[in-house]
Structures are given as C-alpha cells and as structure tokens.
Amino acid sequence: MDGFEDVQQAMRYVADYWIKRKWTFLNEANEEFVAFVDPAFYYQECLTPDEVASVSMCFTEWVLFERPLRRGKTPLQILRDDPPQDAPEGLADILRAVVASQVFSRFAICDKDVASGMTVLRDVRTDCRYDVLDPHICAMEHWGAGTVAVRIARVRGTWQPVGQVYLYDHVPAQENAIDGPGEMHPEDYLCKPEAEHASFYLRLLRDILGIDGRYHKSARVRGRAA
C-alpha cells in the first residue's frame, strides 16, 4: 500500500503544518465552529480526553478542508499552490487530486475485505458507489448495517480516506435516508436558516454533536486509531 501511505503521510504533514500555525486563525475559526455546531460536550462540567480529542478532530478537519483562510483558499489549497521546501515529495500533486475529488458524505457499507483493506461504500445521498481502500473501516467488525460518514478522495487512481473523522451511526441507512443527519430539516428554515448555506459536513456535526442535534445520541465519533 505504498501509494496509500504516501497519501496518509501527505495529509499528516498538512495537519501538522497548520497546527503549528494555528495562532493565525484559531480564535476566529473556533468562534465560527462553536456558534454553528454548539457541541453538547461544551455543556459538561468536565470533558474526558476522548471527548476533547473528538471535538478537536472534527474542528481540524473543517478548518483544513473547508474554511477559507487566505484569499478565499483553504489551508489545503494554500499548500497545494505553494508547498514548503520541507514538504514530502509529491505533496502538491497529491493535494491537487484531493482538492479536485474530495467527497464527504454518509455511506452505507456494502462490502469489505479485511485482507486487502478494500471496502465498497454507497453514498446514501447520491446512491453513487465507491471502491475505497480503507483498512480502518474494514477492521471495524461491528460496522455493518449502519452508516459511516467519512471524507474520501481519488488519488493516483484509488479512492481512499483523506480525513481523520469517522462518524458511525448504527441506525440502518434506509431509516433516515430522506431527512437524515446533515440534511436541511423542516425546522431549520425557521430556527436556523443559515444552515442552508453551511456545508453538509458542518450540518452533520451539528446534528450529531450539537446540544440540540437530532442524532447525537445514536452516533459514534472515531478517529482512525480508535
């Protein structure tokens, strides 16, 4: 899986690069994130290390992939266009492919092969099917009838994960296919109309992690090491 490891190394580099420079955007970005998602964790008196890590991971993925930082470009796009001298070989090419093809959605797990690390995912929003190289999903034995939300991209001819966030919901896909997590809900048009202009990723986090989120009791947040 040399190609897979190259992509994972590139994404780790991007995350580390911007974490070291978080002082340039952290306060403003955090205010935006909290104002929209309103994480339920923040209403607890004491957060466990796992809860802190979960919220931080979700926030970081939003910043790197979706939040404009300079001249309308996301952190990923900035490094794509101007990779640092110490960047891994081929970083710009990998980021070009990631930016051009990335998809974040909820997927039904149609099939998985532990030996090869390949899984077949069906996007429940579009019904598109993807053959994805994702050893983490394959290794999770109890991930089956529900849905997993993850960010994937096609790099060097292979679909693979490019984010760290996995949001698993044990509820079968067909039970919330129409008005499920991340979609605009009827009440949103009255109570939170700005959600219409937010990304599917942010709306999904609001539904799953938010204090008033519809689905936060039925979803599980995992990083790749979990």
Side-chain angles (χ1 to χ4, degrees):
M1 294 192 296
D2 290 343
F4 180 85
E5 292 303 330
D6 287 346
V7 174
Q8 303 314 305
Q9 180 187 7
M11 303 316 297
R12 286 193 295 268
Y13 176 88
V14 171
D16 291 343
Y17 179 92
W18 287 110
I19 285 172
K20 292 175 183 176
R21 293 160 178 79
K22 63 184 179 181
W23 58 272
T24 63
F25 59 82
L26 181 62
N27 289 341
E28 185 177 351
N30 188 61
E31 288 177 3
E32 293 175 19
F33 183 83
V34 172
F36 187 85
V37 176
D38 200 12
F41 294 150
Y42 289 2
Y43 291 83
Q44 299 173 194
E45 291 186 5
C46 295
L47 292 176
T48 68
D50 284 347
E51 289 167 341
V52 172
S54 294
V55 175
S56 177
M57 191 166 51
C58 292
F59 168 76
T60 298
E61 182 155 332
W62 170 65
V63 168
L64 293 180
F65 287 88
E66 299 188 356
R67 186 182 184 272
L69 182 58
R70 298 176 191 162
R71 300 183 299 278
K73 294 181 179 180
T74 65
L76 240 71
Q77 292 169 328
I78 291 171
L79 292 193
R80 173 201 62 186
D81 296 341
D82 188 18
Q85 291 185 346
D86 67 346
E89 184 177 357
L91 178 73
D93 289 338
I94 290 173
L95 294 187
R96 270 192 287 272
V98 171
V99 170
S101 64
Q102 64 155 317
V103 175
F104 180 87
S105 193
R106 293 171 51 234
F107 299 94
I109 302 171
C110 303
D111 192 20
K112 53 185 178 181
D113 181 73
V114 176
S116 67
M118 293 298 300
T119 181
V120 179
L121 302 180
R122 179 180 61 82
D123 188 330
V124 301
R125 307 185 74 216
T126 65
D127 214 33
C128 290
R129 293 168 69 94
Y130 299 87
D131 294 323
V132 183
L133 178 58
D134 194 324
H136 179 69
I137 290 178
C138 290
M140 303 302 291
E141 296 181 1
H142 61 286
W143 286 10
T147 60
V148 59
V150 63
R151 193 179 304 270
I152 61 175
R154 191 172 187 267
V155 184
R156 298 174 180 172
T158 302
W159 286 98
Q160 53 195 291
V162 290
Q164 288 292 319
V165 174
Y166 287 82
L167 297 159
Y168 182 74
D169 191 339
H170 63 79
V171 177
Q174 62 269 23
E175 292 189 18
N176 53 27
I178 304 300
D179 189 23
E183 304 299 342
M184 277 293 291
H185 309 306
E187 65 271 19
D188 290 336
Y189 292 98
L190 293 176
C191 302
K192 204 174 183 69
E194 66 271 23
E196 187 173 9
H197 305 290
S199 70
F200 176 71
Y201 177 71
L202 271 186
R203 292 201 303 263
L204 185 65
L205 293 185
R206 175 204 60 171
D207 278 351
I208 291 175
L209 302 181
I211 186 66
D212 295 319
R214 278 189 175 194
Y215 304 98
H216 81 268
K217 293 182 180 179
S218 67
R220 303 183 67 179
V221 182
R222 288 185 180 268
R224 242 177 266 180

